[in-house]
Amino acid sequence: MSTAVVVEAPGEHRIVPHTPVPPAAGEALVRVHAAGICGSDREVYQGNRPEGYVRYPLIPGHEWSGTVEALGTGVPAQLLGRKVVGEGFRNCQVCDRCHAGETTLCTAGYEETGFTRPGAMAATLTLPARLLHVLPDDADLTAAALLEPAACVAAAALKANARPGERVAVVGTGTLGMFAVQFFAAGSPAELLVVGTRPERAALAREFGATGFHTLSSPGLPADFDVVVEAAGSVSAARTGAALLRRGGRLVLTGIPAPGAEGLDPTGLVVRQLEVHTVFGAPPDAWAHTVRMFGAGLLDPLPLVTHELPLDGFAAAIELVGSGDPKVGKVLLRP
């Protein structure tokens, strides 16, 4: 029997029978291979996601991969049977921001798969076919389930615009941080430093292309980097990132820390002429960049996966993600 995870309300979930939703015009039905769990899924379950960014009851799951099983009218027939991933933001496509390609800034309001619309922690997922990105026929769908967080990092990498030969630093050693290392390593930096709190990630960071690793507890934090991407989401991560930059350097923030986080000093930003960008989600160009990198073998998500559980292991998966255990990386649910 096909099943789905439904979060009825904060702290309450059920495993329920799942009936596929036939695709309407312009839609596709995808057989889900795997769905990833991240910190925002824990927020959904615990009830501390910001107001307006979740709608209960809900099938969670915004990180996923699968195979197209059925098509609605008006969808190209060649999508049938293809391996795919998909954008989460349900943008309107007609506002000024959407026309500019900035779909994560859609003025029609926030709607996203797995938060306000049914997600992929189910046997199937039905969504607009225009959101799909086709993968190579030989793609590993377990690895591809991580392409959503990779796309968010791709958005940061595109905004950072690191040139070959520049010095780059990544703050954060989680999934986003490790993807950031891979994106920047492909651009031939002169130096690629990873800064974080998990020394056990040093070997993996170097395997992905880092040239150095520095823990926040170690003395003598380096400086004078051209580009810094913050992917930690900790209280002081933004300040740490800014401290790493040279004057006129570029900082991209991707983490969303808990309330009470220390802000950046505006005086320091102005006097040092720092360029600051932020990322929330991934627009289409970042998704396309990610899929190209993955298809070219320049992104290797599999080493980040440490646990795969069935859908009825949802509660255990949520606990694993929040355990703080250094041995826990990306946790996947398999329908």
Side-chain angles (χ1 to χ4, degrees), residues 53-205:
Y53 287 85
V54 64
R55 189 180 301 136
Y56 302 100
L58 174 71
I59 298 176
H62 62 287
E63 305 177 2
W64 58 270
S65 63
T67 304
V68 177
E69 264 197 1
L71 302 172
T73 58
V75 179
Q78 59 264 35
L79 274 178
L80 196 62
R82 298 302 303 272
K83 294 178 179 179
V84 294
V85 290
E87 299 175 33
F89 282 76
R90 304 293 186 92
N91 51 83
C92 75
Q93 290 196 297
V94 297
C95 70
D96 287 346
R97 292 302 92 216
C98 284
H99 281 162
E102 299 173 339
T103 55
T104 60
L105 297 175
C106 177
T107 59
Y110 172 78
E111 295 285 349
E112 186 175 3
T113 299
F115 296 107
T116 63
R117 301 289 186 92
M121 292 184 191
T124 67
L125 171 65
T126 300
L127 74 167
R130 62 182 172 80
L131 298 177
L132 297 178
H133 289 259
V134 177
L135 303 172
D137 291 337
D138 61 351
D140 184 322
L141 284 176
T142 299
L146 276 69
L147 292 187
E148 191 278 341
C152 295
V153 175
L158 291 172
K159 286 191 175 184
N161 191 28
R163 288 93 165 176
E166 287 193 314
R167 300 177 69 231
V168 179
V170 174
V171 178
T173 50
T175 299
L176 296 184
M178 293 299 97
F179 273 132
V181 172
Q182 296 184 62
F183 274 108
F184 287 116
S188 302
E191 183 177 352
L192 180 51
L193 176 72
V194 176
V195 178
T197 58
R198 300 172 61 180
E200 69 278 358
R201 280 294 177 99
L204 185 59

Side-chain angles (χ1 to χ4, degrees), residues 166-262:
E166 287 193 314
R167 300 177 69 231
V168 179
V170 174
V171 178
T173 50
T175 299
L176 296 184
M178 293 299 97
F179 273 132
V181 172
Q182 296 184 62
F183 274 108
F184 287 116
S188 302
E191 183 177 352
L192 180 51
L193 176 72
V194 176
V195 178
T197 58
R198 300 172 61 180
E200 69 278 358
R201 280 294 177 99
L204 185 59
R206 291 183 185 277
E207 179 183 325
F208 285 151
T211 60
F213 190 95
H214 195 285
T215 59
L216 290 172
S217 59
S218 301
L221 191 66
D224 293 327
F225 284 84
D226 300 289
V227 171
V228 174
V229 167
E230 176 277 316
S234 64
V235 169
S236 60
R239 284 180 176 264
T240 298
L244 290 165
L245 285 168
R246 64 166 172 81
R247 293 189 68 197
R250 307 186 296 283
L251 175 65
V252 185
L253 307 177
T254 71
I256 303 177
E262 301 174 2

Side-chain angles (χ1 to χ4, degrees), residues 36-52:
I37 291 184
C38 78
S40 55
D41 295 302
R42 288 192 77 237
E43 291 177 354
V44 168
Y45 187 61
Q46 294 174 335
N48 52 16
R49 189 159 172 83
E51 185 177 355

